[in-house]
Structure formats: structure tokens, C-alpha cells
Amino acid sequence: MGLVNDVYSCFHCTSIGASHIRKGTVCQDHSASLETDRYVLTVVSDGHGGVDYFRSDRGSRFAAEAFCSCVADALDLPEEAPEPAHGFLQNRARNFADALLACRTEKQTEEQMRWFIRSLVTRWNMLIDADLEADPFREGDLAEVSEKAKLRYLAGERVQAAYGATLIGAVVTEDFWFGVQIGDGKCVAFDHAGTDTEPIPWDEQCFLNLTTSLCDSDAAGEFRFCFSRELPAAVFVGSDGIDGSFKNQRHLHNFYRVVLTSFAQEDAQQAAEELGAYLPQLSAQGSADDVSVGCILNLGHIRANDGLYAKRKEPYLKIFRVGNLGAEHASDVYAQTGEIEASEGIVGLDVLGCDGFRQGVMEFQILSVTENGASVSVGGTEYAVTPLKRAEIQESRTVDGACQYDTLILQCVLK
């Protein structure tokens, strides 16, 4: 393949959140990227909000610094043989890259990745120790923290919590790529066929404002990772302020497709600057949180195959209802239409104005959504709807000798 940075480019940008601007608080996100002839990397880190995490802006910066330095230590070729303390020596490798390439089982790969993760957590803690030695907590620093945290910090216990932060980092080499993550945020990867995935497993402990963190006592064990010998066309890492600005996964992935189209059609530096300039607007219209994006791109492939990475159409449900069920007179007939974006959850027809005379089907559930359709449940019966296949739900009864009926039609359209 040649030098990695001849094929891949990387970029990063961070913007303070709209809510932080309103409150006058600092940006707690940090991002970084680096190109060398052996690897390219990108990393984002999100410092925790809340008064007890009053140095989380430093914690996110230290997280990015620790990731960059650990990747350098792991992947650069040493001038001398590695010290025995390095875990990759167990298979007589020169460095971490050789050790990973020598792995033949998932267990061996996980052992090597866990070695890297432990070194990353250790490095982050070392940076915090150095910061505390140079700038110890003062009474004024602790004025706003909770009493519980204040007593703990003054006793020198779990001081890392003040620096709490999440991290997502990705590295591409000539022979493989990997990503590591602790906490929330999303890593989205695109292969050379244009397929998008979220390759790092999700952590169910990350829910609403709860997240795992580098400051946890078992941070190394809480890290997740992905590893592949199939090189990506693009990898994005984004803090939770990014994915929190979108309604669902499809919208998030489509955002990155728009970014890829920008890089495919414009000068790379200009595209990166436009992305950075857009982030404040994204925060203001979305999560209001700090936002960070890092990306690694095979620009040559993306530009030669830009159609594979174009924004995809979103599925919408068209709703048509006609009938006279519940009418005072059989001649009273309703005909109503509505349209909604297909998104999992309960849909109340009364909210859409498609409730007829409030009898018959009053709601349905969207069970799942794909690129080309949706699965819906109406009255306990499941239907698949696509642009070519619609669901038709009929109900009829005889009232005072007159037939009353209700017909609900659901169809998917892409737009």
C-alpha cells in the first residue's frame, strides 16, 4: 500500500456547546488527529459535566494526549528491543503492530488490545498525577463541588473523578485498523462498498446522562474495542454531543455521508474547515452540548466512488384513512391523510388528525425501520411496508341495518 499517510488523511474539530456558551462554562471536549508514515489516528474525548468534575476539560485533553502518545509508543519501531514489561513481547514482536499481526485467534487479539488499553488508562492517570502535583486542589476549586466529593478530594481519594472523561479513538495502519472506546459517543465506519456500521460494541451502562469513564476504578475493563484487517474507506468518531443532535442512527450516518460528499467534491482542507464552522450550528439546533468529530479518510477512494457515500433517502410513512365508523349517519364519511418520518415508537392517529370518528384503530407501533421500509404492528398484527408493499387494515360492522367501515392504509415512501 505504501506509506499510510499517502493513502489516508485525518482531521478533527471541536466546538463549544450552545448551552456552555449560555452558562459561561468552558468547553469540556477535546479532539486530535495525527498522520505518520506508519499510521494515522483520530481521537475525541468528552469531559463530564457537573460541578464534581470541575477539571474535566483538562481530563479530556489528557485523554487525547494519552491516546496519541500510547499509539506512538505501541506502533513506532523501537531502536532497541522492547522492555520485557511490554505485553507484546510474548510473541517476540518488535512492536504492537507486529504483535497484532501475529495473533491467530480472537483471544490473542483481545489480549493485545487489553494491553494497549491498560497502557492508555495508566498514561491518563500519570498525566493527572503530574497535573495535581503542579496544581493541587485549592479551597476555591472545591467551593462548588458536592460535600461528598469535597471530602473525598481533600482526603486524596478518587481525585481522578475531577478529571472524568470519555474517549473514542481510531487508528489505521498499513495492515489493520482498530478503535477503542469508553463511555458514550459513536464510532461510525464506512467500508469500500459504501456500507456504514458502528463497529465498536455499545455499552448498555451508557444511558441518558450516565456513562462509563476513564476515572472509573475499572476503566480498563470497561473499554470496548474493534479490530479488523479489512481497512476502512472512512472512520468517524464523535462525542455524544454529535449523536445527541440527531433523532436516530440513520440521521447520524446520513450526516457523515454529507461530510464525505463534501470531502469528495471539495479541497480537503476546505471541507474540514466547513465541518468545523458547521458544528456550532449543529450544537445550537441539536444537543446544545460540546461537539467533537474526528475522521480518517481514504480520500482517493471516496472521490473515485462518491456515489457510494451519497446521502441516503429517509423512509416516511404515508397514512390514508377512509370510512364512516362511529358516524352518526352512514352517509357521513371521513377521508384523511397524514405523513410522518418512520421512527420506532407508538404513533397516535388522533395526533395526526387521522382518527376518523375516534373508533377502530387509534394507534399503531413502528417496530423497526430499514433503509427501504418499516415493520409496523396494528392491533397485534405485524405488517411490512415498503414503497412497493402497503398495509391495509379494514374493520366493518352493521349498525341499525347500515354498514359502517374503516380502512387504514400505510405505505412507505423514500424522500
Side-chain angles (χ1 to χ4, degrees):
M1 185 176 77
L3 299 180
V4 175
N5 57 354
D6 285 343
V7 178
Y8 286 94
S9 301
C10 56
F11 306 90
H12 67 278
C13 48
T14 291
S15 177
I16 187 171
S19 65
H20 288 230
I21 294 174
R22 289 195 300 269
K23 296 175 183 177
T25 55
V26 299
C27 179
Q28 294 161 328
D29 272 19
H30 197 83
S31 59
S33 58
L34 178 67
E35 298 177 15
T36 76
D37 58 1
R38 294 180 57 79
Y39 61 84
V40 294
L41 68 81
T42 191
V43 58
V44 299
S45 179
D46 176 10
H48 304 331
V51 294
D52 289 351
Y53 310 101
F54 61 92
R55 287 190 178 180
S56 67
D57 57 322
R58 301 188 198 186
S60 63
R61 174 165 53 86
F62 294 154
E65 291 175 5
F67 182 78
C68 293
S69 62
C70 284
V71 171
D73 287 350
L75 296 182
D76 285 342
L77 287 174
E79 296 181 2
E80 300 178 358
E83 294 293 328
H86 284 298
F88 54 74
L89 231 167
Q90 63 189 21
N91 51 21
R92 297 182 181 180
R94 295 175 300 170
N95 64 0
F96 181 53
D98 286 355
L100 281 172
L101 288 173
C103 292
R104 293 294 178 264
T105 66
E106 289 186 5
K107 182 178 179 180
Q108 290 174 340
T109 300
E110 178 163 5
E111 288 175 351
Q112 294 301 324
M113 289 302 304
R114 289 296 169 191
W115 168 83
F116 174 80
I117 288 167
R118 288 192 297 271
S119 71
L120 171 57
V121 175
T122 299
R123 188 70 56 87
W124 183 74
N125 279 281
M126 290 171 61
L127 290 170
I128 289 172
D129 290 343
D131 188 66
L132 281 169
E133 183 176 354
D135 185 15
F137 294 159
R138 296 175 175 82
E139 191 67 28
D141 297 330
L142 306 178
E144 300 295 328
V145 305
S146 67
E147 190 63 25
K148 182 179 179 180
K150 182 176 181 179
L151 292 173
R152 192 172 66 238
Y153 292 159
L154 289 174
E157 298 173 355
R158 292 196 59 208
V159 292
Q160 295 86 354
Y163 296 79
T166 66
L167 179 143
I168 316 176
V171 180
V172 176
T173 75
E174 182 178 359
D175 301 300
F176 61 81
W177 83 276
F178 68 84
V180 297
Q181 178 174 3
I182 187 168
D184 48 22
K186 292 290 181 72
C187 173
V188 179
F190 293 81
D191 65 18
H192 285 81
T195 303
D196 49 85
T197 60
E198 294 181 4
I200 300 178
W202 182 244
D203 184 353
E204 296 299 332
Q205 297 181 81
C206 300
F207 180 70
L208 297 178
N209 290 327
L210 300 178
T211 180
T212 49
S213 170
L214 279 163
C215 69
D216 290 347
S217 58
D218 185 32
E222 292 173 333
F223 261 89
R224 302 101 69 194
F225 70 89
C226 65
F227 171 83
S228 177
R229 298 173 194 264
E230 296 292 328
L231 297 183
V235 181
F236 290 93
V237 294
S239 63
D240 75 318
I242 295 292
D243 57 271
S245 295
F246 295 96
K247 187 175 181 179
N248 53 44
Q249 183 189 73
R250 297 190 314 279
H251 285 195
L252 173 65
H253 291 202
N254 255 342
F255 166 68
Y256 287 134
R257 287 182 176 276
V258 171
V259 173
L260 288 175
T261 298
S262 177
F263 275 97
Q265 297 176 351
E266 301 175 8
D267 172 77
Q269 191 58 43
Q270 179 183 352
E273 291 173 359
E274 289 177 356
L275 173 59
Y278 174 68
L279 290 187
Q281 179 182 342
L282 178 64
S283 174
Q285 296 176 344
S287 67
D289 197 2
D290 297 334
V291 284
S292 293
V293 176
C295 56
I296 298 174
L297 310 173
N298 183 334
L299 289 174
H301 175 80
I302 293 167
R303 286 168 174 164
N305 301 274
D306 60 331
L308 296 175
Y309 304 98
K311 180 181 178 181
R312 290 179 173 170
K313 292 183 177 181
E314 295 283 349
Y316 283 74
L317 284 182
K318 291 185 72 70
I319 302 166
F320 177 71
R321 189 169 198 176
V322 63
N324 63 357
L325 195 63
E328 185 175 349
H329 304 288
S331 59
D332 294 336
V333 176
Y334 49 79
Q336 303 164 331
T337 61
E339 183 176 287
I340 59 169
E341 182 184 352
S343 184
E344 289 85 352
I346 303 293
V347 178
L349 293 175
D350 55 337
V351 176
L352 301 175
C354 297
D355 53 347
F357 291 106
R358 295 184 179 273
Q359 292 195 31
V361 176
M362 290 298 295
E363 66 179 26
F364 64 91
Q365 182 177 7
I366 302 176
L367 302 173
S368 61
V369 182
T370 66
E371 293 178 3
N372 299 308
S375 174
V376 300
S377 176
V378 184
T381 302
E382 189 171 332
Y383 302 86
V385 292
T386 70
L388 300 177
K389 183 180 180 181
R390 69 185 190 182
E392 188 169 319
I393 300 94
Q394 295 181 323
E395 183 178 346
S396 64
R397 67 182 68 153
T398 301
V399 179
D400 296 331
C403 178
Q404 292 191 352
Y405 69 97
D406 179 80
T407 301
L408 175 66
I409 298 174
L410 304 175
Q411 187 165 16
C412 183
V413 295
L414 302 179
K415 54 191 299 186

